[in-house]
Amino acid sequence: MKPAIHKIYVVLAKQQNMADFELLCRLLSGLFSYINLTCNLYLVAENLPESMPQVERIQKDIGKFLKLNLFARLYLHFVHSVSPTSAKEIDYYLNYYYQPLKRAAHEFDKEGFIHQEVPRLILLPVIAPDHRVEPASLGGLLNASRSMFMLPCLYLDKTTCFLSKDKDLLARTEKIYFGNGQSREPSEIACNLFYQDLLDESLSKLASKAVFMSVPCPASLIVSANDGKVYCCMDAFRKNKSLIDIYGKSADELMEIYYEHNHSKRDCLECKRKTAQFFAGLPVSETKKQHILALLSHFETSRGMSGR
């Protein structure tokens, strides 16, 4: 059985002409037919104000897909940098960016309320704060987001990891993503989001006593609007080994290539091991660090057994 796509990471371009963006939207709309019933879509933007038209358009296409596919649910993560230092700046983000996105999802919120179930379109802002951010102001943005039933997440790098020690902020945050270094480039942020998702999936398997760590990672795609290419995993993205470009190619053509070449010449176990090593040195909670060390021990044991 061909695997359904679990996650799609889209690195948005800071400046992109309309013709190229239309091709990107057409490709994404076609890919929705290949996702699983609870897919996660990440839209990684350098600057939300500049990328807002792109985010709104993609959300609109998601809405069209969900209206036609009543059993599907999609988690939309819009990832952006922010440096709120005052209540006025928080209000600006809420009024001009968060609230329009939430209003566009109203139909699905209403549907969820009527049927007393989780909405089929869930919005999760992933906020990458600037190192100059005021924790109180950031907390205000998180609170306001939660009050709108948008589950806020934080992306912290070396310059902002001190915020992970703020228990008040943690209590208002759905999830914390960590990045190594201090790059604010969307492509780097997308990589770290992918790797943390991969880590969490590996930890989940370890907790469930699943021993098949060497099986391929959950099916994912990385779409880069910057170079117009699609990648089968983050390792391929790092190595610039694309499947196809988005220009003149349909989603059906892409998936045919994906299924033909998926997991070929890929060492998923080694990638998972390196990911665990990467996060072992980051300021995660002590409990999670212990779980990561247990995961690394499992990988080392697996390597030893395979080398016999």
Side-chain angles (χ1 to χ4, degrees):
M1 181 181 294
K2 295 178 179 179
I5 301 298
H6 288 233
K7 299 176 188 291
I8 302 176
Y9 302 80
V10 181
V11 181
L12 297 173
K14 190 172 183 179
Q15 293 181 333
Q16 187 171 36
N17 65 58
M18 285 304 299
D20 288 347
F21 182 63
E22 284 297 325
L23 291 173
L24 171 64
C25 291
R26 186 186 307 170
L27 179 72
L28 287 177
S29 294
L31 287 175
F32 294 153
S33 298
Y34 293 90
I35 64 176
N36 69 348
L37 294 180
T38 55
C39 181
N40 287 264
L41 174 62
Y42 293 81
L43 303 179
V44 187
E46 181 175 349
N47 183 290
L48 186 58
E50 293 182 359
S51 299
M52 187 65 180
Q54 299 176 53
V55 175
E56 289 181 310
R57 166 61 190 279
I58 293 172
Q59 181 179 338
K60 183 178 179 180
D61 289 345
I62 292 169
K64 291 178 180 178
F65 168 77
L66 292 176
K67 289 176 185 177
L68 294 174
N69 297 270
L70 301 181
F71 293 100
R73 173 175 287 113
L74 197 143
Y75 297 82
L76 177 59
H77 310 251
F78 56 99
V79 189
H80 65 96
S81 299
V82 69
S83 57
T85 57
S86 67
K88 185 176 180 180
E89 287 181 278
I90 293 173
D91 289 341
Y92 183 79
Y93 265 89
L94 291 173
N95 294 332
Y96 289 94
Y97 308 121
Y98 284 28
Q99 287 184 1
L101 294 175
K102 188 61 176 176
R103 283 196 297 268
H106 173 71
E107 179 178 348
F108 300 103
D109 290 336
K110 182 179 179 181
E111 175 190 78
F113 178 77
I114 291 173
H115 297 290
Q116 291 296 290
E117 62 183 16
V118 176
R120 293 190 301 116
L121 176 57
I122 300 174
L123 303 179
L124 298 99
V126 181
I127 303 165
D130 186 270
H131 70 277
R132 297 164 296 181
V133 70
E134 291 289 339
S137 297
L138 180 59
L141 181 58
L142 296 175
N143 273 345
S145 177
R146 295 190 76 88
S147 70
M148 298 165 57
F149 299 100
M150 299 172 75
L151 305 178
C153 306
L154 285 178
Y155 173 87
L156 305 178
D157 60 17
K158 280 190 173 181
T159 67
T160 53
C161 64
F162 66 91
L163 293 171
S164 66
K165 298 179 182 179
D166 190 320
K167 294 182 179 180
D168 189 44
L169 285 180
L170 295 184
R172 309 178 196 187
T173 305
E174 184 70 15
K175 181 176 181 177
I176 292 185
Y177 294 91
F178 287 97
N180 197 10
Q182 54 190 34
S183 174
R184 314 294 293 176
E185 288 296 318
S187 57
E188 187 65 24
I189 292 176
C191 286
N192 290 325
L193 296 176
F194 179 96
Y195 287 135
Q196 184 149 340
D197 284 343
L198 178 59
L199 173 70
D200 291 342
E201 189 263 342
S202 297
L203 291 174
S204 178
K205 281 191 174 182
L206 185 68
S208 65
K209 309 299 182 182
V211 296
F212 303 108
M213 287 290 186
S214 59
V215 299
C217 306
S220 303
L221 287 172
I222 297 88
V223 182
S224 173
N226 288 318
D227 60 15
K229 295 179 181 179
V230 182
Y231 303 83
C232 64
C233 72
M234 199 53 72
D235 184 58
F237 180 61
R238 289 281 199 189
K239 296 176 180 177
N240 196 30
K241 295 181 178 179
S242 63
L243 291 171
I244 62 170
D245 61 52
I246 65 175
Y247 308 117
K249 299 291 185 180
S250 69
D252 293 338
E253 290 175 299
L254 164 61
M255 294 310 299
E256 184 177 346
I257 296 171
Y258 177 82
Y259 289 133
E260 181 180 347
H261 297 285
N262 188 31
H263 310 311
S264 63
K265 299 180 180 179
R266 288 171 57 187
D267 188 348
C268 290
L269 181 61
E270 180 64 12
C271 192
K272 292 174 184 177
R273 187 184 68 82
K274 289 181 177 179
T275 298
Q277 288 180 327
F278 170 76
F279 281 97
L282 297 182
V284 296
S285 69
E286 192 59 36
T287 299
K288 189 159 191 174
K289 183 164 291 188
Q290 292 301 318
H291 290 162
I292 292 173
L293 292 176
L295 181 63
L296 283 170
S297 177
H298 177 86
F299 286 144
E300 290 304 318
T301 301
S302 299
R303 291 178 74 190
M305 293 179 63
S306 63
R308 291 177 183 176

